[in-house]
Amino acid sequence: MTAARTPLIAGNWKMYKTEREAEDYIQALLPRVSSIDGADVAVCVPFTDLRAMVDSARGSRVEVYAQNMHHEPEGAFTGEVSPLMLSDVGAQGVVLGHSERREQFGETDRALALKVPAALAAGLTPILCVGETESERENEDTDRKLRQQIKDDLVNVPSERLTDVVIAYEPIWAIGTGKVATPEQAQEAIAFIRALVGDRDAQAAQGVRILYGGSVKADNAAELLALPDVDGALVGGASLQADSFAQIVGAAAAR
Ligand code: PEP
C-alpha cells in the first residue's frame, strides 16, 4: 500500500438498529475511536438513522453513509431516496451494489452504472461492492465476474474521478457466513481489481481504495488489513457492536 491510501473501515449495519439503538451505539463508539489515528471510519446505516447519526457524529472522525439510493435527483419513484436527499441530510457516502441488493432486490449493473456517477455528482463517496458467488469461484469464474462488474459499474465514471470511488471486494460466499477469504484469495482478487482500474487509468489504480468484506472480525482483521493491496474493510456483523468495530478500526490504524 502506498502512503497516500488511508485505510477505510466501514460498518454495514444492514437492516439493524432503531434510532434509539443507533444513538446508544454511536455514544459507545465515539470515545473508542476518537484517539485512533491513521484510518477513516464510516457507519453505513438505515435511512431512518441517518439524521440522528449525522447529528451525533458531527465533529468526530466517524462519517455516516447510507446503504442504497436511486440515481435521479427527484421524481415519481415511490419508496426511493435520491442522492440529493442523502447529501442534504448530511450523509457523506453510500454503499452501492451490495450483493444482498443485487440478489434479493434485483439491483443490476445497468442501474449501478447510473448510481455510481450520481453519488459522486452529489458529493457522496460511493462504496461499490463487487464479488463472486461460491460456484463462480469453484468454476474459476472469479476474474471474469470481477472484470464484468468493474467495467459495467464504472463505465460512466470519468478517469479523473475513479479515485473518489471506494471499491469493496466482497466474495458472496464469505458474507455473513463466517467463512473468510484466505489472505491469498483476498490479496489476489483485490490486486486483480486494482489492475482492472489500471486498465482505465494507471494513476487511478494507485490511488483508488479497495476494501475487503466478508466475515471480517476483530480476531482476523489484522491479517487481512496487513495485505499490500487491501485498503480497509467493509464489515457487516462485527460492526453491530461498538467494541468489536472499534477493535477493527484499531487494527487498521496499527498496520
Ligand atoms: C457485509 O454486509 O458487507 C458483510 C461483509 O457482512 P459480514 O461482515 O457479516 O460478512
Side-chain angles (χ1 to χ4, degrees):
M1 159 161 177
T2 65
R5 297 201 304 264
T6 303
L8 169 64
I9 303 298
N12 175 21
W13 289 4
K14 312 191 188 210
M15 196 174 73
Y16 289 98
K17 295 195 190 297
T18 62
E19 195 177 286
R20 179 73 257 153
E21 291 165 344
E23 202 55 69
D24 290 346
Y25 175 99
I26 201 83
Q27 296 313 332
L29 181 68
L30 292 178
R32 286 173 166 80
V33 297
S34 63
S35 59
I36 302 177
D37 272 334
D40 292 339
V41 185
V43 286
C44 311
V45 309
F47 293 132
T48 48
D49 293 332
L50 279 171
R51 169 79 66 191
M53 291 306 92
V54 165
D55 287 347
S56 295
R58 188 170 287 117
S60 80
R61 61 180 308 115
V62 177
E63 298 196 339
V64 179
Y65 288 21
Q67 299 175 11
N68 183 34
M69 57 165 224
H70 196 277
H71 66 272
E72 292 284 357
E74 61 182 8
F77 302 107
T78 302
E80 293 291 323
V81 169
S82 80
L84 178 68
M85 290 166 182
L86 295 182
S87 53
D88 182 61
V89 83
Q92 285 139 302
V94 59
V95 177
L96 295 174
H98 192 281
S99 61
E100 287 156 15
R101 295 217 59 82
R102 292 179 189 259
E103 291 192 331
Q104 299 176 49
F105 302 98
E107 177 109 290
T108 62
D109 291 309
R110 238 171 105 197
L112 290 162
L114 298 171
K115 289 185 181 198
V116 178
L120 291 171
L124 301 165
T125 298
I127 300 182
L128 171 67
C129 303
V130 297
E132 81 287 359
T133 63
E134 189 151 42
S135 67
E136 285 166 340
R137 178 159 282 273
E138 282 165 4
N139 294 329
E140 301 188 355
D141 210 15
T142 301
D143 287 2
R144 182 207 57 78
K145 177 75 172 291
L146 295 176
R147 183 180 293 110
Q148 173 259 308
Q149 289 183 322
I150 292 295
K151 178 168 170 283
D152 292 356
D153 300 352
L154 295 178
V155 66
N156 295 322
V157 177
S159 296
E160 67 273 16
R161 299 243 36 207
L162 284 171
T163 52
D164 297 325
V165 178
V166 174
I167 300 171
Y169 167 62
E170 298 212 304
I172 296 168
W173 47 270
I175 297 179
T177 58
K179 264 199 242 174
V180 65
T182 65
E184 293 72 26
Q185 288 170 327
Q187 168 58 29
E188 189 185 354
I190 289 178
F192 180 69
I193 292 170
R194 196 175 301 288
L196 293 173
V197 175
D199 291 342
R200 288 273 313 271
D201 187 284
Q203 215 180 333
Q206 288 315 305
V208 69
R209 290 190 292 182
I210 310 179
L211 317 183
Y212 168 78
S215 297
V216 174
K217 308 271 181 258
D219 60 6
N220 62 22
E223 189 178 28
L224 291 158
L225 293 169
L227 297 167
D229 277 290
V230 174
D231 303 320
L234 183 55
V235 185
S239 76
L240 291 172
Q241 304 297 327
D243 229 354
S244 54
F245 188 56
Q247 283 177 46
I248 296 169
V249 175
R255 67 210 273 273

